[in-house]
Amino acid sequence: MSKICVIGTGYVGLVTGVCFADLGNEVTCLDVDQSRIERLKQGIMPIYEPGLEQLVSQNVRAGRLAFTTDYRQALDGAEFAFIAVGTPSGVDGEADLQYVRMAAEAIADIAQGYLIIVNKSTVPVGTGDWITDIIRRRRNGTRPLLQFSVVSNPEFLREGSAINDFMYPDRVVLGSTDRQAASKVAELYVSLRCPILITDLRTAEMIKYASNAFLATRISFINEIANICEELGADVQEVALGMGYDKRIGPAFLDAGLGWGGSCFPKDVKALAHMAVLHGTQPQLLQAVMEINRNQRRRVVYKLRKALNNLDEKIIGILGLSFKPNTDDIREAPAIDLIHLLQNEGAIIQAYDPQAMENARQVLKRVKLCETPYEVAQGADALVLATEWNEFKQLDFERIYQLMRQPIIMDGRNLWNPEPLRSMGFTYFGVGRGANNHINNHQPET
Ligand code: NAD
Ligand code: UGA
């Protein structure tokens, strides 16, 4: 059992805190957002994440998990302080480190004895050394010496499956100049029985950016292939299937669609490109990966404009607003970009999402937020599927056909089978589903 303080109670901090508590540690989660902490104390989650609420309440009841806004209380007796604050994009695409700085300064002002500072936020290469400098400079010898080590421990969890990803990771990466400190952090993860890579600080920080950039690259790659498929009459889903059987390629992250969004891929690819330029290299591939992603949304607008002649005063229904299913997060969501692009051309938007309506209300203007997918279809000139939530898989398309003004479907995630929809009379567009290719997920007999 270790005593752990987790700074930041967002997706990463809260999940890290509750999972470490569930593994038997004594965890205090700290946030500067008072209302967030008040709500957490009442058992109200600040984010939608499957399984989170129950795990939090179990661990609070067991006395292993507490919440506070008070750094003194959170750091009291802590052996580890995990930093899990946001690192959003700055004006030039760089990672904005103001929250990391504030956390480091608070640690420097308050911590006592020996502390292992573990950084889980996604930060530019060199940030671990920068944190060390901040704390050393601030602790200027007028107070008892703070003995500390900094360890980089990038997080690879995905929203929507965060608890599972934390508990069953593919690997844990730890980077530090202090191998002993890294080994102590490794002990926290030993029961997860996964590979633990211990390396230096800068390499660990780079592993995080390289991993996210690689995943984004795979998606942009398959989207480029999808666009070529569309022109040549091939079907990208079967292309991906055929590619994915190759063990060197693998099947994951080859779903063509509206492109990647979320709070991480966009900001991390930008930040990596920014780092590269700052240090005199030309990140040509990363630039192309971002450009392909932007174009993927524009391409949908182009298809709709072509199908409807022009978009002025056309009613477009959008199904799904979150950047992917099983989350209420709409940061950099393809649906939100798409809505803005469509509104720029005069389209009237009505939309629905199973979880993201509250968040959408804060950022969307002039959008009718509907209660059901059918209300979205009502009077629409086209229906766009932007997020592949389960509840959209089996809609009553006969009803939708009756409700729409023009039966045009733009399936931005290739969720539906085109043939039955076409036979019902819909004009169906998918992404990269050329000709009339039939999808059969035939497994070879063994
Ligand atoms: P978030 O925005 O959901 O949460 C950050 C929290 O930190 C907020 O509650 C904020 O109030 C709090 N905070 C800010 N400054 C603070 C301070 N000085 N002291 C205490 N609390 C403070 O962020 P997130 O999505 O959890 O991401 C955190 C980091 O983890 C980012 O660097 C992100 O790139 C990285 N990451 C995120 C994910 C993900 O799926 N969201 C996955 C892997 C890595
Ligand atoms: C991603 C990574 O998968 C995590 O490993 C990482 O920890 C996290 O970013 C982070 O650093 O924050 P997340 O953003 O939660 O996780 O979501 P993903 O499941 O990776 O999806 C990202 C975007 O790519 C979504 O918009 C999704 O719709 C899109 N996507 C994903 C595709 O368009 N095609 C695919 O095949 C897969």
Side-chain angles (χ1 to χ4, degrees):
M1 192 280 283
S2 299
K3 208 164 171 211
I4 296 172
C5 154
V6 180
I7 302 171
T9 59
Y11 289 90
V12 172
L14 191 52
V15 169
T16 299
V18 71
C19 288
F20 275 140
D22 206 55
L23 293 172
N25 300 289
E26 193 182 316
V27 180
T28 305
C29 287
L30 172 139
D31 206 291
V32 285
D33 182 338
Q34 200 138 13
S35 73
R36 184 172 274 239
I37 292 297
E38 281 314 315
R39 276 178 287 142
L40 277 166
K41 282 181 175 169
Q42 293 164 30
I44 304 167
M45 297 302 106
I47 49 172
Y48 171 75
E49 187 61 43
L52 185 64
E53 189 172 331
Q54 200 193 352
L55 206 61
V56 167
S57 84
Q58 272 169 19
N59 282 282
V60 169
R61 259 186 279 124
R64 292 189 294 261
L65 181 64
F67 299 101
T68 185
T69 52
D70 181 358
Y71 266 97
R72 211 166 291 280
Q73 186 187 335
L75 288 170
D76 184 28
E79 303 154 72
F80 302 92
F82 281 78
I83 300 179
V85 299
T87 49
S89 280
V91 276
D92 287 329
E94 77 283 8
D96 177 351
L97 292 178
Q98 61 169 310
Y99 306 108
V100 176
R101 174 188 277 279
M102 282 190 251
E105 288 177 350
I107 292 172
D109 290 346
I110 287 158
Q112 291 172 10
Y114 175 66
L115 183 66
I116 298 179
I117 300 161
V118 191
N119 181 45
K120 255 198 184 298
S121 295
T122 303
V123 291
V125 177
T127 302
D129 297 329
W130 177 74
I131 292 175
T132 307
D133 288 347
I134 289 177
I135 297 178
R136 283 216 182 109
R137 264 188 274 119
R138 213 160 160 102
R139 216 45 192 226
N140 55 17
T142 55
R143 278 166 297 156
L145 201 64
L146 175 67
Q147 306 260 0
F148 71 98
S149 304
V150 174
V151 177
S152 163
N153 172 210
E155 181 52 60
F156 300 100
L157 62 77
R158 288 161 300 172
E159 291 179 22
S161 55
I163 291 168
N164 201 64
D165 289 345
F166 188 97
M167 291 299 202
Y168 303 95
D170 289 341
R171 79 307 207 179
V172 165
V173 173
L174 301 169
S176 186
T177 44
D178 180 345
R179 288 263 155 170
Q180 225 179 340
S183 299
K184 284 208 171 125
V185 181
E187 281 167 28
L188 295 174
Y189 289 103
V190 157
S191 62
L192 303 182
R193 298 175 188 281
C194 66
I196 299 181
L197 173 69
I198 300 188
T199 179
D200 62 84
L201 256 175
R202 285 169 181 252
T203 304
E205 289 165 344
M206 183 53 111
I207 287 171
K208 175 63 193 175
Y209 278 108
S211 301
N212 272 3
F214 185 73
L215 292 170
T217 302
R218 276 180 75 104
I219 302 168
S220 284
F221 174 84
I222 201 67
N223 280 332
E224 182 153 293
I225 295 293
N227 298 342
I228 302 171
C229 282
E230 249 165 44
E231 300 309 319
L232 298 178
D235 188 304
V236 74
Q237 285 187 296
E238 291 204 358
V239 170
L241 199 63
M243 287 169 62
Y245 284 131
D246 187 327
K247 290 192 184 69
R248 295 167 302 175
I249 297 174
F253 276 70
L254 287 178
D255 290 330
L258 292 179
W260 37 273
S263 65
C264 290
F265 284 177
K267 84 170 169 63
D268 292 346
V269 179
K270 248 189 276 174
L272 180 56
H274 184 269
M275 250 184 277
V277 171
L278 210 64
H279 292 88
T281 63
Q282 286 302 318
Q284 292 173 51
L285 179 60
L286 298 179
Q287 300 295 0
V289 165
M290 290 188 278
E291 187 56 20
I292 291 167
N293 201 49
R294 280 190 289 272
N295 277 338
Q296 214 52 20
R297 275 80 142 159
R298 294 182 194 134
R299 207 173 151 85
V300 172
V301 178
Y302 168 77
K303 283 183 192 169
L304 287 172
R305 195 193 302 122
K306 233 174 131 186
L308 292 167
N309 250 338
N310 68 66
L311 291 167
D312 200 29
E313 301 205 349
K314 298 290 184 329
I315 299 176
I316 311 290
I318 307 281
L319 291 179
L321 295 167
S322 57
F323 80 96
K324 66 173 194 177
N326 300 323
T327 177
D328 62 352
D329 197 339
I330 57 164
R331 289 179 282 183
E332 306 258 358
I336 307 293
D337 284 351
L338 191 61
I339 288 173
H340 290 143
L341 289 170
L342 292 166
Q343 284 181 327
N344 280 346
E345 301 203 18
I348 298 162
I349 308 294
Q350 44 198 41
Y352 166 76
D353 186 281
Q355 288 294 338
M357 300 294 266
E358 249 343 283
N359 287 338
R361 220 180 294 280
Q362 321 282 327
V363 300
L364 289 176
K365 293 190 184 75
R366 294 179 289 115
V367 170
K368 180 181 172 204
L369 292 173
C370 302
E371 305 270 313
T372 67
Y374 302 100
E375 200 186 329
V376 171
Q378 178 80 52
D381 293 295
L383 193 61
V384 180
L385 180 99
T387 317
E388 66 279 30
W389 283 93
N390 267 343
E391 74 167 72
F392 299 148
K393 280 186 181 157
Q394 313 248 336
L395 295 174
D396 179 348
F397 283 103
E398 301 280 1
R399 187 173 162 201
I400 288 180
Y401 186 87
Q402 297 303 327
L403 288 167
M404 291 181 74
R405 192 155 70 180
Q406 300 191 62
I408 296 175
I409 283 184
M410 174 67 233
D411 180 357
R413 295 290 176 183
N414 290 343
L415 184 70
W416 298 312
N417 191 350
E419 289 321 316
L421 295 177
R422 287 188 179 130
S423 357
M424 263 181 230
F426 283 104
T427 302
Y428 172 94
F429 300 100
V431 179
R433 304 176 101 172
N436 287 326
N437 283 356
H438 177 65
I439 307 295
N440 90 46
N441 291 335
H442 181 72
Q443 298 289 330
E445 281 172 27
T446 47

